Amino acid sequence: MSRDAASRYEIPGQLQQLLLDFTVSCLVERPADLVDFAADYFAQLRQRRQEQTTVQQQNQQTGGLVAGSAAHGNGHGPESDDSMLTDESDEPSPESLANRFNRRKSVFAESYDPEGDDDEGEKVVHPKSDQQRHRLAEAVKNIFIFRSLDPDQVQDVLDAMFEKTVDSGDYVIRQGDDGDNFYVIDSGAFHIYVATETEPTKRLVGQYEGSGSFGELALMYNMPRAATVQAMSHGSLWAMDRTTFRRIILKTACKKRKMYETLLETVPMLRALTSYERMNVADALNPRTFEDGECIIRQGDAADGMYFIETGTVRIAVAGENEIEVEVSRVTKGGYVGELALVTHRPRAASAYCVGPVRLAFLDVQAFERLMGPCMNIMKRNIDDYEDQLIRIFGSRFNMSDFR
Ligand code: 1OR
């Protein structure tokens, strides 16, 4: 193409991002009919844009919806859904809840600096009975955000937590409020609701059943609460005040979320997770490094987890009935290995070796089961590809289980 022609074909600014997003959606969704998929994809995109424009116009006319005011959700009785959003004219900043949430995302992505945080504060001790201490130790055992703490820090955390009981209908956290405590569930069921600009009536987005933790986002990123959490039964929580959370947990957890943020965004499969769910995966990941030629996974072994590839190349080899290994594929950055045995609950179906030095992020089997549910269909579709490859190479799918 001549220089003249090139200057006549100016590439619109949005084109690259638009096509990239579309391509990634195709790779993740693997539609049977690309044209139908494209038509739906772009129609939805246009509809979302129209909805956003309408809401923006309404907000400009009304001054916008504002979040329910200062009442921290500390166990007031049940209220109607509409109580979450009120039109209070004395609210300092007339932003919608959705805007607040979007602002939080950009803070996470760009400007939070745990190193620069010097929020030190005093050590807090809430005395506890032996029975309470025992229950607390059980409750925090599976909280990923605590896993990178050293034993002294764990001790400080246990000292600082205090018990809080709730009744069915109590609001523990209200979206839009300032963050006071971080909570670990001891018992009880809790619903998570989110209101957005396009859907101002709060919508149920998830729930906790007797375990888990919540309330870390507002404390980590110094932002308003991103969701509402309401007790659905009588229950008990372990709470940690904001200062202790920031003093002990913040730096480690934030560093880890930041460290894995880019990795998690470059793994196409994980687009099936919400950004909040991806952060939970970041809490659960652990770094593993290997040298050239090292074996990461051995065919026939029991499976303890899966690996995401941060840097380097991993060679996958399968030994057929004659025990001779044949290379079947190579996986690089953005890819993953070791998920198959976790999905099929069978021994490792192939071996994985490093080609040069390799850095991986390891997700153990318990975390896999708790966090990767939304990616299961994508993984199962990829397993169909493995089967096709095996049939091509060996003439049979001899070591794949019937996982369906
Ligand atoms: P927080 O301090 O913002 C509300 O207070 C808490 O609810 C929040 O921290 C999280 O700990 C928890 N999006 C945002 N926050 C959530 C979500 C969530 N789920 C639990 N929390 N989503 C649901 C993902 C299954 C995404 C909704 C779009």
Side-chain angles (χ1 to χ4, degrees):
M1 197 192 295
S2 74
R3 198 179 272 254
D4 259 12
S7 61
R8 259 185 281 132
Y9 296 113
E10 199 176 298
I11 298 171
Q14 281 181 325
L15 186 66
Q16 199 178 2
Q17 191 58 49
L18 193 72
L19 291 181
L20 185 67
D21 287 348
F22 174 65
T23 309
V24 169
S25 295
C26 287
L27 295 177
V28 171
E29 308 262 330
R30 304 167 109 210
D33 185 318
L34 201 55
V35 175
D36 282 353
F37 179 75
D40 288 349
Y41 177 91
F42 287 106
Q44 272 177 22
L45 205 63
R46 185 163 60 185
Q47 192 186 344
R48 270 209 300 275
R49 194 185 54 184
Q50 277 163 354
E51 283 168 5
Q52 272 166 7
T53 317
T54 315
V55 172
Q56 270 161 13
Q57 283 164 352
Q58 282 167 355
N59 279 352
Q60 272 160 11
Q61 281 158 16
T62 62
L65 291 161
V66 292
S69 66
H72 285 261
N74 286 347
H76 314 289
E79 290 169 48
S80 79
D81 284 6
D82 294 336
S83 70
M84 295 309 303
L85 293 170
T86 53
D87 223 345
E88 288 167 324
S89 49
D90 59 347
E91 182 76 20
S93 145
E95 284 180 284
S96 72
L97 294 170
N99 279 345
R100 289 174 172 208
F101 187 49
N102 290 339
R103 193 155 47 97
R104 174 194 311 273
K105 276 199 239 157
S106 71
V107 165
F108 176 59
E110 288 149 23
S111 59
Y112 185 72
D113 174 17
E115 291 301 333
D117 193 289
D118 51 16
D119 202 347
E120 279 303 315
E122 290 290 297
K123 185 166 153 40
V124 180
V125 179
H126 287 279
K128 291 170 197 73
S129 67
D130 285 352
Q131 188 258 12
Q132 274 183 314
R133 251 190 126 70
H134 178 72
R135 275 194 297 121
L136 175 56
E138 280 301 303
V140 301
K141 220 161 58 189
N142 292 318
I143 306 299
F144 297 122
I145 218 165
F146 288 175
R147 288 221 183 141
S148 343
L149 303 179
D150 62 40
D152 285 350
Q153 289 174 317
V154 172
Q155 201 51 50
D156 283 0
V157 162
L158 297 187
D159 282 342
M161 296 190 90
F162 54 98
E163 188 162 15
K164 202 165 158 176
T165 51
V166 289
D167 285 318
S168 178
D170 286 353
Y171 285 102
V172 185
I173 284 180
R174 289 164 192 268
Q175 184 174 351
D177 278 0
D178 287 338
D180 47 3
N181 297 321
F182 166 67
Y183 298 95
V184 174
I185 298 169
D186 181 54
S187 64
F190 299 83
H191 277 180
I192 309 156
Y193 299 96
V194 169
T196 61
E197 200 160 323
T198 44
E199 246 183 288
T201 306
K202 66 185 164 87
R203 186 168 65 85
L204 183 68
V205 294
Q207 59 197 65
Y208 303 99
E209 290 287 345
S211 64
S213 64
F214 57 84
E216 79 292 1
L217 293 180
L219 308 186
M220 273 185 164
Y221 307 116
N222 246 336
M223 299 298 289
R225 295 294 197 186
T228 292
V229 181
Q230 187 179 23
M232 289 293 124
S233 67
H234 179 76
S236 161
L237 296 162
W238 294 103
M240 186 194 303
D241 67 277
R242 175 191 181 88
T243 314
T244 308
F245 180 90
R246 290 181 72 89
R247 185 169 61 80
I248 305 176
I249 296 185
L250 183 74
K251 285 185 188 167
T252 340
C254 242
K255 257 194 219 155
K256 204 163 182 194
R257 287 188 173 195
K258 263 186 132 58
M259 181 166 98
Y260 285 126
E261 186 188 5
T262 322
L263 170 80
L264 295 182
E265 273 167 12
T266 54
V267 179
M269 172 178 75
L270 296 179
R271 298 219 166 188
L273 301 179
T274 62
S275 61
Y276 179 70
E277 289 166 333
R278 277 199 297 271
M279 285 192 246
N280 287 329
V281 175
D283 294 336
L285 289 175
N286 283 307
R288 299 260 170 107
T289 48
F290 293 86
E291 301 301 323
D292 182 31
E294 256 191 279
C295 180
I296 306 163
I297 289 174
R298 195 173 302 279
Q299 186 171 334
D301 281 359
D304 55 351
M306 69 174 288
Y307 299 86
F308 294 95
I309 292 141
E310 284 193 83
T311 54
T313 301
V314 174
R315 185 168 66 81
I316 310 294
V318 176
E321 268 139 14
N322 57 8
E323 307 269 300
I324 297 171
E325 278 194 346
V326 179
E327 177 172 329
V328 290
S329 64
R330 289 191 173 215
V331 190
T332 54
K333 189 176 169 156
Y336 52 89
V337 293
E339 84 297 1
L340 175 63
L342 304 183
V343 177
T344 61
H345 302 287
R346 298 244 312 157
R348 297 295 194 191
S351 297
Y353 301 96
C354 300
V355 182
V358 171
R359 192 181 154 80
L360 304 166
F362 178 70
L363 188 70
D364 70 33
V365 59
Q366 290 85 8
F368 175 90
E369 282 176 359
R370 272 169 57 189
L371 302 170
M372 297 297 283
C375 303
M376 207 48 89
N377 282 339
I378 300 168
M379 286 188 277
K380 285 185 175 171
R381 267 183 257 145
N382 287 349
I383 291 171
D384 290 342
D385 280 357
Y386 300 158
E387 290 186 324
D388 292 347
Q389 277 175 24
L390 285 175
I391 292 168
R392 237 188 8 254
I393 297 170
F394 296 102
S396 79
R397 52 193 277 280
F398 62 91
N399 67 351
M400 303 272 303
S401 74
D402 192 4
F403 59 86
R404 286 177 200 86

